[in-house]
Structure formats: C-alpha cells, structure tokens
Amino acid sequence: MRLNTTTTRIFALAAAAACAAGLSACQSEVPVPGPTNGGDTTTVAPTTGAEQPTGSAPTGSAPTGAPTTGAAPTAGAVEARDIEPITFTDEAVGLTETCDQIITDFKAPSYQKDGDETTTIYLLHCTLDYSGGLSYDDEAAGDLKLIDDKDEFHYGRAWSLSSLDEDVKAAGMDPISYDDRGTTHVDGWFAFTVSGSDGKADPLPEGATTLVYERNAFTNKGTGKTYEAYSARSKVTIK
C-alpha cells in the first residue's frame, strides 16, 4: 500500500529525527551552481548542524567461490542486475564515483526484524576514486539517495549500520562503511533502506528511480581550503 501525503511527511520527519541522532547525513536543498556529470544535474547549498555521510570500508572475506572484490557473487542468495553506469564527478574534492550494479530486494535477516520486516533493502555497487590529495572521509564523501521520481517523500537513503553490514558480508559482498575513511579507492556496496507501511513493503518503482549524490560545503582543517556544496543526479536504468 502506497503512503499518503500525511503519512509520508510523518516518515520524512522521523527520518530527519533519526539523522539528528547521528545515524546518517542530512541536508536541505537550495540551488547553487555546480559542475556537470553524465546525467541530469542540480546543486545544493549546505545547511548547518551535525552531518555525517555514509562511510566506506570493504571488510571481511568473501566466502569460498565468491569474488574477493566488491562485485556480487556469481552464485548465492542474491543476484545483481547491471544498470547503465552512473558516474558522478565531484571535481572540487577530486572524486570520481561510478555505480554499475543494483540488487533491488536484498534479504537482510539481521536488520529486517523487530518491526523492519516491511523495509525494502537496495544494494548499489559503486567504485570511488579520489585524486588531488583528499581521501574518503566524513567531509569529502557525499550522501546518496535513491528517489522515487513521482513522489519526493518516497526514497531510500544509504546507511552504514552494523546489522546491515553484517548481512551484506554474509552474502559474500563488501559493504561500504565508515571503516574505509582515509583511503583514496573504495569498491563495494551501498545499502539503501525504503520503509513500508500497514504491514506491507513499499518498493521504489522500477523505471522511475533516480540516484542523487549530495555533498555539503566544508573547510579542510589542515589546509584551510573551503569546498562549495555539490549535488548531481542521474536516472537509474536497469539493463
């Protein structure tokens, strides 16, 4: 059952409260100029308050017979689907981020319990490369969201939660988590959660979903250099 406007606004407020508790980065959006990437683009200005984007870290070894990189195993409990590659180029921080595979209904038994059974889990395989002296950290890393093109309140945000990370590892894949901060190359899977309602899942519509990358403005404490906020978006097209 799809959420009505009142219900979705309640979920949006609940998500904002969770972010304030330190679960993930949150930021409001107002237009500012930004560079161009391969898809439709938009830019956002920063907001004040504590903000912490998703981190990244391939941890744990893949099981026997599964790839040791971030790629999904060729056999097992999950199946990755190729998408038209999405590349975000955040020139200010020297980041090139490419996403090329998606899992649209990942089963996460450690996370999907105690009221989370109706949550739909998406995994997105991405590779991040930094140049120009910066590395993956809480400031240079952007925040990712999968957004329903027809309903702005219906979206999934990339999280770094221990229970989700353990489920991704158990499936033979490398989760992108906080442990990889400080590195210039990250290869793994972002996990997105989309809440359901009335005891039913509410997945994002295939063919009408957009991936959004957002990064707040920040000042490098070591060099004193200031980086303007940046945002970009691209359609998710499953092959």
Side-chain angles (χ1 to χ4, degrees):
M1 178 182 297
R2 287 307 311 280
L3 305 177
N4 60 35
T5 301
T6 301
T7 304
T8 51
R9 288 181 183 274
I10 291 173
F11 277 120
L13 291 173
C19 295
L23 291 178
S24 182
C26 295
Q27 49 205 42
S28 303
E29 302 179 0
V30 293
V32 296
T36 302
N37 71 79
D40 296 334
T41 61
T42 185
T43 54
V44 297
T47 58
T48 59
E51 302 172 25
Q52 187 174 16
T54 42
S56 52
T59 57
S61 301
T64 303
T68 56
T69 66
T74 56
V78 295
E79 180 181 355
R81 302 167 69 185
D82 291 337
I83 63 174
E84 292 293 338
I86 296 172
T87 298
F88 296 128
T89 304
D90 188 346
E91 296 179 354
V93 297
L95 169 65
T96 299
E97 179 170 348
T98 300
C99 304
D100 56 8
Q101 288 184 310
I102 194 169
I103 295 171
T104 56
D105 190 13
F106 178 71
K107 303 305 179 185
S110 297
Y111 177 81
Q112 291 172 306
K113 62 181 181 179
D114 301 329
D116 287 317
E117 297 88 347
T118 63
T119 300
T120 304
I121 309 296
Y122 292 80
L123 299 185
L124 192 66
H125 178 256
C126 300
T127 302
L128 294 76
D129 286 291
Y130 285 86
S131 61
L134 293 179
S135 60
Y136 192 98
D137 60 31
D138 290 341
E139 292 182 320
D143 184 29
L144 290 179
K145 288 191 292 186
L146 287 171
I147 294 180
D148 184 343
D149 296 340
K150 301 177 181 179
D151 184 352
E152 63 178 308
F153 296 106
H154 187 209
Y155 66 89
R157 186 183 295 277
W159 300 94
S160 180
L161 301 174
S162 58
S163 57
L164 264 175
D165 292 347
E166 289 304 316
D167 288 326
V168 174
K169 293 175 188 177
M173 296 176 291
D174 294 330
I176 294 179
S177 65
Y178 295 119
D179 296 335
D180 207 36
R181 288 174 294 182
T183 63
T184 58
H185 176 80
V186 181
D187 184 352
W189 294 84
F190 284 110
F192 300 78
T193 59
V194 179
S195 298
S197 65
D198 297 329
K200 297 180 180 180
D202 190 21
L204 297 170
E206 188 168 316
T209 301
T210 293
L211 178 65
V212 177
Y213 166 90
E214 297 173 339
R215 177 184 52 73
N216 278 348
F218 70 95
T219 299
N220 187 295
K221 296 177 182 179
T223 64
K225 182 178 179 179
T226 297
Y227 299 83
E228 293 185 357
Y230 173 66
S231 176
R233 59 179 61 215
S234 184
K235 189 86 168 181
V236 177
T237 303
I238 299 176
K239 294 183 177 180

